[in-house]
Amino acid sequence: MTVQIAILGASGFVGGELLRLCVGHPDFAPVRLFGDSQAGAAIDKAHPHLALAYPGMRFETYEESALDGIDLVFAALPHGASQAIAGTIIDRDIAFVDLGADFRLRDPAVYETWYGEPHRAPDLLGHFVYGIPEIARAEIAKTRCVAAAGCYPTATILALKPLVDAGLIDPKSIIVDAASGVSGAGRGLKESTHFNAIAESYSAYGLVSHRHTAEMEASLGATVLFTPHLAPMNRGILATCYGTATGPMAADAPLEALRAAYADEPFVHVSETPPSTKWTLGSNAAHITARYDPRTGRVLAISAIDNLVKGAAGQMIQCANIMLGLDETAGLGTCGVHP
Amino acid sequence: MTVQIAILGASGFVGGELLRLCVGHPDFAPVRLFGDSQAGAAIDKAHPHLALAYPGMRFETYEESALDGIDLVFAALPHGASQAIAGTIIDRDIAFVDLGADFRLRDPAVYETWYGEPHRAPDLLGHFVYGIPEIARAEIAKTRCVAAAGCYPTATILALKPLVDAGLIDPKSIIVDAASGVSGAGRGLKESTHFNAIAESYSAYGLVSHRHTAEMEASLGATVLFTPHLAPMNRGILATCYGTATGPMAADAPLEALRAAYADEPFVHVSETPPSTKWTLGSNAAHITARYDPRTGRVLAISAIDNLVKGAAGQMIQCANIMLGLDETAGLGTCGVHP
Amino acid sequence: MTVQIAILGASGFVGGELLRLCVGHPDFAPVRLFGDSQAGAAIDKAHPHLALAYPGMRFETYEESALDGIDLVFAALPHGASQAIAGTIIDRDIAFVDLGADFRLRDPAVYETWYGEPHRAPDLLGHFVYGIPEIARAEIAKTRCVAAAGCYPTATILALKPLVDAGLIDPKSIIVDAASGVSGAGRGLKESTHFNAIAESYSAYGLVSHRHTAEMEASLGATVLFTPHLAPMNRGILATCYGTATGPMAADAPLEALRAAYADEPFVHVSETPPSTKWTLGSNAAHITARYDPRTGRVLAISAIDNLVKGAAGQMIQCANIMLGLDETAGLGTCGVHP
Amino acid sequence: MTVQIAILGASGFVGGELLRLCVGHPDFAPVRLFGDSQAGAAIDKAHPHLALAYPGMRFETYEESALDGIDLVFAALPHGASQAIAGTIIDRDIAFVDLGADFRLRDPAVYETWYGEPHRAPDLLGHFVYGIPEIARAEIAKTRCVAAAGCYPTATILALKPLVDAGLIDPKSIIVDAASGVSGAGRGLKESTHFNAIAESYSAYGLVSHRHTAEMEASLGATVLFTPHLAPMNRGILATCYGTATGPMAADAPLEALRAAYADEPFVHVSETPPSTKWTLGSNAAHITARYDPRTGRVLAISAIDNLVKGAAGQMIQCANIMLGLDETAGLGTCGVHP
């Protein structure tokens, strides 16, 4: 079986990563690459690292007729863009994995609160499953539309959900302090992502107002204070998460809760050692640890992922595999490129 | 007036930074450089960047007689070493600024709790003032012995002390999530500071047990859960600090409290913009911001310093300037080397 | 067919990379991992990025009996170590791909000149083929022993050999100015590979005396002045190569010579754009360009590879595939992990 | 004496560096900061690292009347801009140090060859001295207009000029292979200076056609093949230079020629050890070494500078100091910020 794939946003970082991973996928064939800003250009203009794998392919401008014959659409578009095209894809009954924020929140009012504008396709929200396979595998298997989770929420939810579900932490007490590599900010040119702005810089941004907070809160059923930081590295997210313990517990109780939750997961590694983003580079793995601190009565949980793989393209492929009934791990690896 | 200076630990990173800053100090003359592991070697073997400034100087092995004629000792030694030599320096009435942890905690029992061994010179603890000029300028001016604060505590205390003192946050609720450049781990060879272990890596360490916690708690009169991280950069500390607000307040109340506290400080810059470690590189400045988050009822405060300057050598010089009645800013700058 | 593999030096950087690549190889099963310094430790102690792929595997101490049942040995050992064990492997008729320098030079006298000691197994030199598939595919297919080329020579030889062979440049005039990521210096702890020694540092080393010069000269039949540099990055080699043109030629004559030589190569990409090491990260690809400069009468050729893949583990696997009659590209990719 | 200074291009990287260095200069007072793109903004918007040093200062739009009362103009403008304003500055007899390429080449025909357009103020060329104090101190002392040398030429000329002058190398044989930190590409937003384009990337650019070649050739009286590279670091230039020896010589003859030439220079350090860019960070120092290679008959010379200091702002200040009869080293240091 070959799945004919269209990628919207194919010239961006996530687009490149989808293309890289599809090379190793036995069933996925990217056949239409939409990237308006690069339309007409050869693929290696935007992605020189893919030159040998996709000789002769070019980016093109999106138009609806280009979806003829497509089995699966991956969209990695700027915020808001998916609302305009989702209807078409759904009407054509094409499997759809969207990485935008547009369909991640079930409640359009919450969307409006955090995104500052009304949702333009609220009637379509019900089609989408929030895409983190480890917490919604069954629902993903039954849907045609996945709103793949963002990078920060994926790292956070994987670290905290088993602890909230096990009743170990107070869901109203959560603080998430996370750091991301620069690719999370996308490929657009900004002062803040100039090499000289980043090298030797570590700083916080989006104080008390980052939009990904809404996803974390919705998925965890929690109140979250989230502070993202930009770290001088290409890739990786580390989420260091704090919650007030619901009561005294063994020091390793949180770790055991994680181990129990993820015992059969192919992409989640739970260990006592604090993880590094570096272990995940280029892979779909998540590495997680946790502790109870009896001195302060808090639980600490830390997770590391590659923001472009488990936090984006890899998760999209994992969701698509499930949705299409394929081997969930097809095209995806667990080994980071190290060092 | 020329102050004759001996540096213990002169071949390390802090030693090098003391030497660099002394070049621009009108009164400080480093005349004895103790660095046992490099004894006999020319200064540019360990510090090639100082080759033109200290031609012909060499490291030597410490012996007590080498303190003859010395007016001021700077010590940047491994943990524990100062306890063995402080008595001698005090007996000779030489001004002493120590960067070790040995004399930072007033209570030897607290020392033993965090450092895992009894203090070997508890009777000398009373000689030392904990050295952060912004919170203890008057005491420093009256002492001959300063235990300069560590890098993480300096960043944390500068960000939080005015907020605790103003009663804006509950001192029992504090979480400090901080990141450091690699130079904070010192010059010794360890797997964890190999270039390939660090580049593209962001990770936490010392979970719920880092020794600097004790300094933060003692200085703030608080309970602190502290999580340090290692970021892929040479220098810099960013401390992102959280406390539960004692009640509703204006969103900028914490920022105004910081502005009031630091209005006359030469090295502290308070601004609404979240600071970057990069602004401080090579300088003695601290950049701080704060927010109240009405949604979660928390206060967020963030500070950035250069761990080797305001977090080490610069603070040592600032303390020495005060102790010796010199211009407090002599030899110290506020401008980071940027980019 | 499953090839039972033993890896000598399995806990080092190249060992880790061999293990990572074997995960994606349909026929290769690493079953014995020799790494004396880590003997007894679980694989994720040295290679946390491989934790999910090799659960339960441990390093062990090398002993000859451990080679029972092994079909293929990969060795990534310190210089000199292979001379002691090659005989055993050859006697047992186990396929052998060695990354050491020990068997790369055909002439033991040249070895002694550059390595400063007599060769200890000169009679075994004849068993080995110098392992760069693009220039010795047929010989590799017929041998049981490959001495895989080093990282600098691979980059250099791929860039220059077609130009020398086509008579475009004078082989006595060659200058190679190359930069390597830090992983090329190995995992051992050295002052020169401490993060703080490398970040913001670019420097040359091994002036006029780097041992890899001998391989370049032997393979190219040339005289080479080679200057290696260390660049602040994990991986990658860029070789910028200069030769005096044998006469006037079209500006793109060198590029056309490269295109002709590599038209059918699966891992070599020739293009007019100067390549970046970044395009190759984690992949077995080489990206090459060249120019004739009529103003100075020189030819410039530049190649980029990942020093740990095409410059080490990937090349070893490519050679093994050829030697064992497998698909030459099995387990190897052409797409760098980007960004 | 206070020198009233106007800076054109004050919001760029070199502008920021001029401002940082002026803080430590006893006589220099920047009073007008021209930066059209930032006109009206406070200085810390572009230069947050200078917030404490220049409180309240703002950028303004350049207009001629703003030069009233100015004693010295520093210009760090895009290529070509100085040709339009130099006449005004000269007419007003204001001391002028220009960092643009506009007045570096004595011959307008050479300018047109390399810059692809006719020079628009050829009659002013005679006013300018090419600004490298180590090779033109006397001329600088007598002029009112300096065209400060670029970063690559400064590194190259310091390494090679004593060797050419001593007749050790054939001036027609020179190859310069150099690497620069990213700040050399300026502050403008370009794909090529995005953090994700640079981290883990080392690549060449401007093959056989970089404009700085003309300066090198003019100053050295030589033919130069120059290949610049971009290295993943903020600052620094390393120039690795090759020339054919004019005949056999002692291995250290080139080093001795450099030592003799720079014995009395305050900012040049000659040593046998290959230098690193890191030693120079933030300082005005140049570190140089050289070798003769009897095997290939070549001379190798390597120099390291900070591209923004000795390669830009520091050299501008050094030239201004000489021109104004001040202490040549005022405001300038020799110690890099390390690590």
Side-chain angles (χ1 to χ4, degrees), chain D residues 148-169:
Chain D
C151 46
Y152 285 121
T154 297
T156 299
I157 292 163
L158 288 176
L160 287 178
K161 190 150 181 54
L163 308 181
V164 171
D165 288 353
L168 299 180
I169 58 176

PDB file of all heavy atoms in Angstrom, chain D residues 148-169:
ATOM      1  N   ALA D 148      39.323  52.473   7.936  1.00  0.00           N
ATOM      2  CA  ALA D 148      39.759  51.336   8.746  1.00  0.00           C
ATOM      3  C   ALA D 148      39.620  50.046   7.953  1.00  0.00           C
ATOM      4  O   ALA D 148      38.629  49.834   7.250  1.00  0.00           O
ATOM      5  CB  ALA D 148      38.952  51.260  10.037  1.00  0.00           C
ATOM      6  N   ALA D 149      40.602  49.191   8.095  1.00  0.00           N
ATOM      7  CA  ALA D 149      40.622  47.936   7.327  1.00  0.00           C
ATOM      8  C   ALA D 149      39.506  47.011   7.771  1.00  0.00           C
ATOM      9  O   ALA D 149      39.048  47.057   8.903  1.00  0.00           O
ATOM     10  CB  ALA D 149      41.964  47.234   7.522  1.00  0.00           C
ATOM     11  N   GLY D 150      39.074  46.172   6.860  1.00  0.00           N
ATOM     12  CA  GLY D 150      38.052  45.182   7.174  1.00  0.00           C
ATOM     13  C   GLY D 150      38.610  44.075   8.046  1.00  0.00           C
ATOM     14  O   GLY D 150      39.815  43.980   8.293  1.00  0.00           O
ATOM     15  N   CYS D 151      37.712  43.209   8.479  1.00  0.00           N
ATOM     16  CA  CYS D 151      38.093  42.178   9.446  1.00  0.00           C
ATOM     17  C   CYS D 151      38.988  41.116   8.816  1.00  0.00           C
ATOM     18  O   CYS D 151      40.061  40.816   9.337  1.00  0.00           O
ATOM     19  CB  CYS D 151      36.854  41.564  10.075  1.00  0.00           C
ATOM     20  SG  CYS D 151      35.559  41.128   8.905  1.00  0.00           S
ATOM     21  N   TYR D 152      38.575  40.567   7.688  1.00  0.00           N
ATOM     22  CA  TYR D 152      39.423  39.560   7.046  1.00  0.00           C
ATOM     23  C   TYR D 152      40.778  40.138   6.646  1.00  0.00           C
ATOM     24  O   TYR D 152      41.811  39.512   6.893  1.00  0.00           O
ATOM     25  CB  TYR D 152      38.731  38.982   5.807  1.00  0.00           C
ATOM     26  CG  TYR D 152      37.609  38.000   6.052  1.00  0.00           C
ATOM     27  CD1 TYR D 152      36.331  38.240   5.575  1.00  0.00           C
ATOM     28  CD2 TYR D 152      37.834  36.801   6.722  1.00  0.00           C
ATOM     29  CE1 TYR D 152      35.293  37.326   5.763  1.00  0.00           C
ATOM     30  CE2 TYR D 152      36.805  35.875   6.921  1.00  0.00           C
ATOM     31  CZ  TYR D 152      35.547  36.147   6.433  1.00  0.00           C
ATOM     32  OH  TYR D 152      34.530  35.233   6.611  1.00  0.00           O
ATOM     33  N   PRO D 153      40.806  41.316   5.980  1.00  0.00           N
ATOM     34  CA  PRO D 153      42.115  41.860   5.615  1.00  0.00           C
ATOM     35  C   PRO D 153      43.006  42.141   6.823  1.00  0.00           C
ATOM     36  O   PRO D 153      44.213  41.900   6.763  1.00  0.00           O
ATOM     37  CB  PRO D 153      41.754  43.151   4.866  1.00  0.00           C
ATOM     38  CG  PRO D 153      40.399  42.869   4.294  1.00  0.00           C
ATOM     39  CD  PRO D 153      39.702  42.050   5.351  1.00  0.00           C
ATOM     40  N   THR D 154      42.434  42.622   7.924  1.00  0.00           N
ATOM     41  CA  THR D 154      43.275  42.894   9.086  1.00  0.00           C
ATOM     42  C   THR D 154      43.967  41.623   9.559  1.00  0.00           C
ATOM     43  O   THR D 154      45.190  41.599   9.780  1.00  0.00           O
ATOM     44  CB  THR D 154      42.434  43.489  10.228  1.00  0.00           C
ATOM     45  OG1 THR D 154      41.900  44.740   9.788  1.00  0.00           O
ATOM     46  CG2 THR D 154      43.260  43.706  11.483  1.00  0.00           C
ATOM     47  N   ALA D 155      43.186  40.564   9.717  1.00  0.00           N
ATOM     48  CA  ALA D 155      43.773  39.294  10.171  1.00  0.00           C
ATOM     49  C   ALA D 155      44.837  38.815   9.182  1.00  0.00           C
ATOM     50  O   ALA D 155      45.930  38.388   9.569  1.00  0.00           O
ATOM     51  CB  ALA D 155      42.677  38.244  10.331  1.00  0.00           C
ATOM     52  N   THR D 156      44.537  38.909   7.906  1.00  0.00           N
ATOM     53  CA  THR D 156      45.441  38.402   6.875  1.00  0.00           C
ATOM     54  C   THR D 156      46.714  39.232   6.779  1.00  0.00           C
ATOM     55  O   THR D 156      47.833  38.697   6.727  1.00  0.00           O
ATOM     56  CB  THR D 156      44.701  38.408   5.522  1.00  0.00           C
ATOM     57  OG1 THR D 156      43.572  37.546   5.626  1.00  0.00           O
ATOM     58  CG2 THR D 156      45.615  37.974   4.395  1.00  0.00           C
ATOM     59  N   ILE D 157      46.546  40.522   6.749  1.00  0.00           N
ATOM     60  CA  ILE D 157      47.702  41.407   6.552  1.00  0.00           C
ATOM     61  C   ILE D 157      48.637  41.333   7.759  1.00  0.00           C
ATOM     62  O   ILE D 157      49.860  41.299   7.609  1.00  0.00           O
ATOM     63  CB  ILE D 157      47.208  42.839   6.262  1.00  0.00           C
ATOM     64  CG1 ILE D 157      46.509  42.863   4.896  1.00  0.00           C
ATOM     65  CG2 ILE D 157      48.357  43.837   6.331  1.00  0.00           C
ATOM     66  CD1 ILE D 157      45.634  44.091   4.658  1.00  0.00           C
ATOM     67  N   LEU D 158      48.063  41.284   8.974  1.00  0.00           N
ATOM     68  CA  LEU D 158      48.928  41.157  10.150  1.00  0.00           C
ATOM     69  C   LEU D 158      49.748  39.870  10.091  1.00  0.00           C
ATOM     70  O   LEU D 158      50.912  39.842  10.481  1.00  0.00           O
ATOM     71  CB  LEU D 158      48.101  41.195  11.439  1.00  0.00           C
ATOM     72  CG  LEU D 158      47.518  42.561  11.814  1.00  0.00           C
ATOM     73  CD1 LEU D 158      46.636  42.442  13.054  1.00  0.00           C
ATOM     74  CD2 LEU D 158      48.630  43.590  12.064  1.00  0.00           C
ATOM     75  N   ALA D 159      49.145  38.793   9.574  1.00  0.00           N
ATOM     76  CA  ALA D 159      49.871  37.518   9.511  1.00  0.00           C
ATOM     77  C   ALA D 159      50.922  37.499   8.408  1.00  0.00           C
ATOM     78  O   ALA D 159      51.997  36.914   8.564  1.00  0.00           O
ATOM     79  CB  ALA D 159      48.877  36.370   9.299  1.00  0.00           C
ATOM     80  N   LEU D 160      50.626  38.141   7.293  1.00  0.00           N
ATOM     81  CA  LEU D 160      51.478  37.951   6.113  1.00  0.00           C
ATOM     82  C   LEU D 160      52.447  39.094   5.813  1.00  0.00           C
ATOM     83  O   LEU D 160      53.496  38.865   5.200  1.00  0.00           O
ATOM     84  CB  LEU D 160      50.603  37.721   4.874  1.00  0.00           C
ATOM     85  CG  LEU D 160      49.911  36.368   4.791  1.00  0.00           C
ATOM     86  CD1 LEU D 160      49.041  36.299   3.536  1.00  0.00           C
ATOM     87  CD2 LEU D 160      50.932  35.226   4.783  1.00  0.00           C
ATOM     88  N   LYS D 161      52.115  40.307   6.174  1.00  0.00           N
ATOM     89  CA  LYS D 161      52.939  41.425   5.690  1.00  0.00           C
ATOM     90  C   LYS D 161      54.398  41.306   6.123  1.00  0.00           C
ATOM     91  O   LYS D 161      55.312  41.499   5.281  1.00  0.00           O
ATOM     92  CB  LYS D 161      52.349  42.771   6.127  1.00  0.00           C
ATOM     93  CG  LYS D 161      53.040  43.956   5.448  1.00  0.00           C
ATOM     94  CD  LYS D 161      52.116  45.133   5.268  1.00  0.00           C
ATOM     95  CE  LYS D 161      52.812  46.313   4.572  1.00  0.00           C
ATOM     96  NZ  LYS D 161      53.424  45.955   3.299  1.00  0.00           N
ATOM     97  N   PRO D 162      54.692  40.958   7.389  1.00  0.00           N
ATOM     98  CA  PRO D 162      56.116  40.820   7.734  1.00  0.00           C
ATOM     99  C   PRO D 162      56.812  39.723   6.926  1.00  0.00           C
ATOM    100  O   PRO D 162      58.009  39.819   6.664  1.00  0.00           O
ATOM    101  CB  PRO D 162      56.084  40.471   9.230  1.00  0.00           C
ATOM    102  CG  PRO D 162      54.777  41.028   9.724  1.00  0.00           C
ATOM    103  CD  PRO D 162      53.822  40.833   8.575  1.00  0.00           C
ATOM    104  N   LEU D 163      56.063  38.699   6.533  1.00  0.00           N
ATOM    105  CA  LEU D 163      56.679  37.600   5.780  1.00  0.00           C
ATOM    106  C   LEU D 163      56.940  38.003   4.339  1.00  0.00           C
ATOM    107  O   LEU D 163      57.966  37.643   3.760  1.00  0.00           O
ATOM    108  CB  LEU D 163      55.770  36.360   5.846  1.00  0.00           C
ATOM    109  CG  LEU D 163      55.354  35.935   7.258  1.00  0.00           C
ATOM    110  CD1 LEU D 163      54.473  34.687   7.199  1.00  0.00           C
ATOM    111  CD2 LEU D 163      56.575  35.711   8.138  1.00  0.00           C
ATOM    112  N   VAL D 164      56.021  38.761   3.770  1.00  0.00           N
ATOM    113  CA  VAL D 164      56.243  39.288   2.421  1.00  0.00           C
ATOM    114  C   VAL D 164      57.389  40.292   2.454  1.00  0.00           C
ATOM    115  O   VAL D 164      58.310  40.245   1.630  1.00  0.00           O
ATOM    116  CB  VAL D 164      54.956  39.945   1.877  1.00  0.00           C
ATOM    117  CG1 VAL D 164      55.232  40.680   0.563  1.00  0.00           C
ATOM    118  CG2 VAL D 164      53.855  38.900   1.689  1.00  0.00           C
ATOM    119  N   ASP D 165      57.337  41.202   3.414  1.00  0.00           N
ATOM    120  CA  ASP D 165      58.372  42.238   3.495  1.00  0.00           C
ATOM    121  C   ASP D 165      59.763  41.645   3.707  1.00  0.00           C
ATOM    122  O   ASP D 165      60.762  42.182   3.218  1.00  0.00           O
ATOM    123  CB  ASP D 165      58.057  43.216   4.630  1.00  0.00           C
ATOM    124  CG  ASP D 165      56.867  44.122   4.307  1.00  0.00           C
ATOM    125  OD1 ASP D 165      56.383  44.081   3.155  1.00  0.00           O
ATOM    126  OD2 ASP D 165      56.433  44.879   5.184  1.00  0.00           O
ATOM    127  N   ALA D 166      59.825  40.541   4.463  1.00  0.00           N
ATOM    128  CA  ALA D 166      61.114  39.898   4.711  1.00  0.00           C
ATOM    129  C   ALA D 166      61.541  39.010   3.551  1.00  0.00           C
ATOM    130  O   ALA D 166      62.602  38.382   3.606  1.00  0.00           O
ATOM    131  CB  ALA D 166      61.044  39.073   5.995  1.00  0.00           C
ATOM    132  N   GLY D 167      60.725  38.942   2.523  1.00  0.00           N
ATOM    133  CA  GLY D 167      61.089  38.138   1.359  1.00  0.00           C
ATOM    134  C   GLY D 167      61.012  36.639   1.596  1.00  0.00           C
ATOM    135  O   GLY D 167      61.605  35.858   0.861  1.00  0.00           O
ATOM    136  N   LEU D 168      60.270  36.225   2.585  1.00  0.00           N
ATOM    137  CA  LEU D 168      60.201  34.783   2.883  1.00  0.00           C
ATOM    138  C   LEU D 168      59.217  34.047   1.987  1.00  0.00           C
ATOM    139  O   LEU D 168      59.352  32.844   1.779  1.00  0.00           O
ATOM    140  CB  LEU D 168      59.827  34.563   4.353  1.00  0.00           C
ATOM    141  CG  LEU D 168      60.804  35.123   5.391  1.00  0.00           C
ATOM    142  CD1 LEU D 168      60.307  34.819   6.806  1.00  0.00           C
ATOM    143  CD2 LEU D 168      62.194  34.519   5.196  1.00  0.00           C
ATOM    144  N   ILE D 169      58.209  34.737   1.488  1.00  0.00           N
ATOM    145  CA  ILE D 169      57.226  34.053   0.637  1.00  0.00           C
ATOM    146  C   ILE D 169      57.030  34.797  -0.670  1.00  0.00           C
ATOM    147  O   ILE D 169      57.203  36.018  -0.751  1.00  0.00           O
ATOM    148  CB  ILE D 169      55.860  33.891   1.350  1.00  0.00           C
ATOM    149  CG1 ILE D 169      55.281  35.245   1.782  1.00  0.00           C
ATOM    150  CG2 ILE D 169      55.979  32.964   2.547  1.00  0.00           C
ATOM    151  CD1 ILE D 169      53.905  35.131   2.396  1.00  0.00           C
TER     152      ILE D 169
END
